[in-house]
Amino acid sequence: MRVLGLETSCDDTGVAIFDTERGLLAHKLYSQSAMHAEYGGVVPELASRDHIRKLLPLVREVLAEAKCATGDLDGVAYTMGPGLAGALLVGASIGRSLAYAWGIPAVGVHHMEGHLLAPMLEPDPPAFPFLALLVSGGHTLLADVRTIGDYRLLGESLDDAVGEAFDKTAKLLGLGYPGGPEIAKAAARGTPGRFRFPRPMTDRPGLDFSFSGLKTAALTASRQHALDAHTIDDIAHAFQEAAVDTLFIKCARALEQTGHTRLVVAGGVGANALLRMRLLELGKKINVRVYYPRPAFCTDNGAMIAYAGSVRLRAGQQEGLAFGARARWSLMDLAAP
Ligand code: KG4
Ligand code: ZN
């Protein structure tokens, strides 16, 4: 089965074709980050309008790269939520219409299920069950994953998502958008130990997270010191250490509690090199296999939507002729296909 995947939930237009026999045939991404950078964050209306401009040209490019005619496609998968309502509606309306015009089924995919399944696109994919750490701009959660669609929430952020904390801290330090990669770059130049920020909620039992206090600690430090280039790097360093350490501590705790021997890390913050290294070290120490998508498939992309869509379409799931978007949609509301 050959599935076209469309991702338009936020500020990336992603398109890909996944073939259940041959794997990923082509994928393209257009990032709007340069357009949003001057506002310091995503402007929803601009995002929707840009998806309208970019989506169909990208579909053509991907079809050409995959040497695929529209008649070779067996289904269309689009991100149905969660995300920005207007941005989602662009992908949903175009995806549903293309499928209708081509006479093939369409399926709406949960964006976080896309992230969760992205490691399946890699050469040595994880088997079920596993522990998942999903870390993106909108979500921070630990889930017990039995199989596709069978997810149990173990812990989540009670306030800011970790990616959001990266973005907000980068903004207050005058670094660019999106903040995660900018903080990581600055942190690499920083002096270890000059600042130390809290590891929120690690001193009490449980698997929930809180990142707003960490962001405030960075804000306080930035106000108490002259923000020269060294200080910015040093604060970025301490922020990244604290954020990664917090995720590390909760992952170690969740692995111990659940007894899982596989850990899947996905979502934009999963591209963070320090987080990847520290969790790999943990895995070696306690005999747990750690799986990541390649960094380009940690952040938003069409490949993960094409893959997740192919699994659900293959199981017979499909949308009716109506289409919609679900700006808010819990991953835990999904069922096995
Ligand atoms: O998954 P994603 O692309 O979009 C959402 O679904 O939210 O995640 C985006 C988030 C942003 O907050 C971005 O700053 C963060 O992932 N991010 C990173 C890195 N690359 C992206 N955070 C830390 N280190 C990175 N290298
Ligand atoms: Zn995402």
Side-chain angles (χ1 to χ4, degrees), residues 110-331:
H110 192 292
H111 181 78
M112 297 311 291
E113 182 169 79
H115 277 303
L116 180 76
L117 299 179
M120 303 298 180
L121 292 161
E122 302 304 335
D124 182 18
F128 294 101
F130 52 76
L131 175 74
L133 173 70
L134 286 181
V135 277
S136 71
H139 295 81
T140 308
L141 61 89
L142 278 162
D144 189 345
V145 176
R146 309 286 168 88
T147 184
I148 289 176
D150 187 352
Y151 312 127
R152 273 155 230 215
L153 185 67
L154 300 174
E156 65 184 332
S157 180
L158 305 178
D159 42 57
D160 292 355
V162 61
E164 187 181 356
F166 267 92
D167 294 335
K168 287 178 175 170
T169 302
K171 195 171 179 181
L172 70 91
L173 293 177
L175 300 171
Y177 173 85
E182 297 296 323
I183 293 265
K185 255 190 268 164
R189 297 186 296 258
T191 315
R194 179 165 164 219
F195 296 96
R196 185 181 161 83
F197 297 146
R199 275 67 173 149
M201 295 182 70
T202 53
D203 55 353
R204 56 183 118 150
L207 295 170
D208 285 333
F209 303 88
S210 161
F211 286 101
S212 71
L214 178 54
K215 174 198 67 194
T216 309
L219 177 66
T220 307
S222 74
R223 287 195 175 143
Q224 285 170 345
H225 297 81
L227 264 193
D228 54 64
H230 285 303
T231 303
I232 290 173
D233 294 348
D234 296 347
I235 293 175
H237 186 93
F239 173 85
Q240 181 177 251
E241 285 291 328
V244 166
D245 213 28
T246 303
L247 296 173
F248 175 93
I249 291 166
K250 292 291 163 84
C251 274
R253 195 179 285 176
L255 286 166
E256 198 188 320
Q257 282 181 16
T258 59
H260 275 302
T261 54
R262 286 176 289 268
L263 168 66
V264 163
V265 183
V269 184
N272 185 274
L274 180 68
L275 179 67
R276 294 169 86 94
M277 190 185 79
R278 293 225 31 219
L279 290 177
L280 278 175
E281 281 169 9
L282 171 71
K284 264 195 206 131
K285 210 169 114 196
I286 61 172
N287 224 358
V288 166
R289 282 275 319 262
V290 184
Y291 298 86
Y292 301 104
R294 69 195 82 166
F297 289 168
C298 280
T299 44
D300 290 348
N301 64 84
M304 65 185 196
I305 303 303
Y307 177 79
S310 77
V311 174
R312 289 193 170 268
L313 283 166
R314 233 180 3 165
Q317 191 180 324
Q318 56 175 285
E319 306 302 324
L321 282 181
F323 67 87
R326 299 181 67 176
R328 294 174 143 270
W329 185 9
S330 167
L331 182 65

Side-chain angles (χ1 to χ4, degrees), residues 4-8 13-15 48-60 75-79 86-102 104-107 321 323-324:
L4 175 72
L6 310 177
E7 157 60 34
T8 66
T13 317
V15 179
S48 316
R49 291 175 191 212
D50 214 45
H51 286 309
I52 292 174
R53 278 191 288 268
K54 297 295 176 347
L55 192 53
L56 282 174
L58 275 187
V59 168
R60 283 190 202 102
V76 178
Y78 55 85
T79 304
L88 289 166
L89 278 171
V90 177
S93 54
I94 292 182
R96 188 68 198 85
S97 308
L98 288 176
Y100 178 72
W102 295 335
I104 54 178
V107 70
L321 282 181
F323 67 87

